Amino acid sequence: MATAVGEHPEGLEGEARDRDKGARVRAMFSDIAPTYDLLNGLLSFGVDRRWRAQAAAGALAALPAPGAGPRPRVLDVACGTGDLTLALKRQRPDAEVTGADFAEPMLELARAKARRRGAEVSFVVADGTALPFPDASFDVVTIGYGLRNFADPDAGLREFRRVLRPGGRLAVLEFPPPPRGPFGTLFRFYFRRLLPRLGGLVSGERQAYAYLPESVLGFLTPEELTRRLQAAGFTGVGHESQTFGVSALHLADVPRVRREP
Ligand SMILES: C[S@@+](CC[C@H](N)C(=O)[O-])C[C@H]1O[C@@H](n2cnc3c(N)ncnc32)[C@H](O)[C@@H]1O
């Protein structure tokens, strides 16, 4: 049976479960905010900067050259401490860039970082599945390592599609489940055994760094995410793997409106 707009496909129980996951995720990221950046660099051996720079470049490549059109509007959802938001601004200083996240402590750090770097970006508290923006109000939407934390990733994808204008572009950066083979085995060991210990030691929040591998191992493969993006109404969906498949960048476009002849 078709579900009415705004109704949860699994009814009230599903809605309550989503609310519960949302609250847990928000509390967890609020708790780990102070050590988030340090651990990101440490646990990824510093490669995370390159992954975000590549995501920003892929997302912005769809825009006309600076000065060739109206001022581009860019939204970074689940922006956390703002690293992807700031990479976007660095690469397109002419754009109006906004970061959105539902964990206020992460946003406080993002605002301080932007101030230190003299970057003119704005940060708003918002849930990625109910963004406080009108339809078709952004040229580019990005989300870096946020989607797998959503209680309902499909609801997030539909919302990104809603706020993007026709011809706009979405970039999703995520950790796919590790591949099979020797590298996957090694990575799983690192991810399951070492990372929670190291993360717990530095942040004092072992639980949060045990959640990280579990959320990745249970997330969609790039092929599944491609199908979900298409189901949400995106076209030209493609993905490329980063650093032997540890991270993956998905790009997807909103179809342009066809003019009547
Ligand atoms: C792993 S961090 C990624 C932060 C940042 N994008 C980066 O690249 O470092 C995930 C972020 O997603 C945010 N988040 C998770 N679910 C969200 C939701 N439904 N709406 C808004 N933010 C959400 C968390 O608060 C957290 O800041």
Side-chain angles (χ1 to χ4, degrees):
M1 195 173 63
T3 317
V5 177
E7 226 173 73
H8 196 286
E10 293 168 62
L12 290 177
E13 215 175 279
E15 261 178 48
R17 202 178 47 235
D18 284 2
R19 263 200 311 277
D20 188 46
K21 173 163 178 179
R24 271 186 291 120
V25 166
R26 187 164 53 236
M28 187 185 77
F29 281 106
S30 300
D31 288 346
I32 63 169
T35 51
Y36 179 81
D37 281 353
L38 173 69
L39 273 165
N40 254 357
L42 221 65
L43 298 174
S44 74
F45 306 103
V47 206
D48 59 315
R49 284 169 63 92
R50 195 170 67 219
W51 295 335
R52 288 194 194 82
Q54 288 170 346
L60 298 171
L63 292 176
R71 189 177 189 207
R73 298 195 69 208
V74 177
L75 174 66
D76 181 32
V77 182
C79 65
T81 58
D83 282 345
L84 179 53
T85 327
L86 292 169
L88 289 159
K89 183 68 181 174
R90 213 167 26 246
Q91 292 187 24
R92 278 302 290 256
D94 61 316
E96 186 185 327
V97 180
T98 304
D101 198 288
F102 68 2
E104 178 64 41
M106 296 288 268
L107 289 180
E108 277 169 27
L109 292 164
R111 288 189 191 106
K113 198 184 286 177
R115 267 196 306 274
R116 278 198 306 277
R117 296 189 190 171
E120 226 182 89
V121 292
S122 47
F123 290 102
V124 297
V125 183
D127 189 318
T129 57
L131 293 166
F133 304 110
D135 294 357
S137 47
F138 290 95
D139 302 286
V140 169
V141 171
T142 59
I143 177 163
Y145 310 112
L147 194 64
R148 70 172 191 286
N149 300 297
F150 278 32
D152 183 354
D154 294 313
L157 297 181
R158 288 193 296 274
E159 187 65 348
F160 308 158
R161 164 90 169 74
R162 181 187 71 75
V163 299
L164 274 167
R165 67 160 172 78
R169 174 165 289 183
L170 171 69
V172 180
L173 199 52
E174 251 316 340
F175 295 122
R180 291 177 198 281
F183 181 74
T185 308
L186 190 71
F187 188 69
R188 256 173 250 267
F189 174 76
Y190 165 69
F191 222 41
R192 277 212 154 118
R193 308 272 167 192
L194 303 183
L195 183 145
R197 278 170 207 220
L198 192 58
L201 210 66
V202 176
S203 69
E205 302 283 340
R206 173 101 189 241
Q207 201 77 347
Y209 285 90
Y211 161 84
L212 174 64
E214 291 318 318
S215 68
V216 170
L217 295 171
F219 192 59
L220 308 168
T221 62
E223 292 72 27
E224 284 164 343
L225 181 52
T226 296
R227 281 193 287 279
R228 303 294 185 96
L229 284 160
Q230 288 162 340
F234 290 95
T235 55
V237 183
H239 63 88
E240 64 184 66
S241 93
Q242 299 170 301
T243 317
F244 310 113
V246 172
S247 175
L249 170 62
H250 294 252
L251 298 176
D253 294 329
V254 175
R256 286 179 194 280
V257 183
R258 225 184 307 147
R259 294 231 171 85
E260 293 303 323

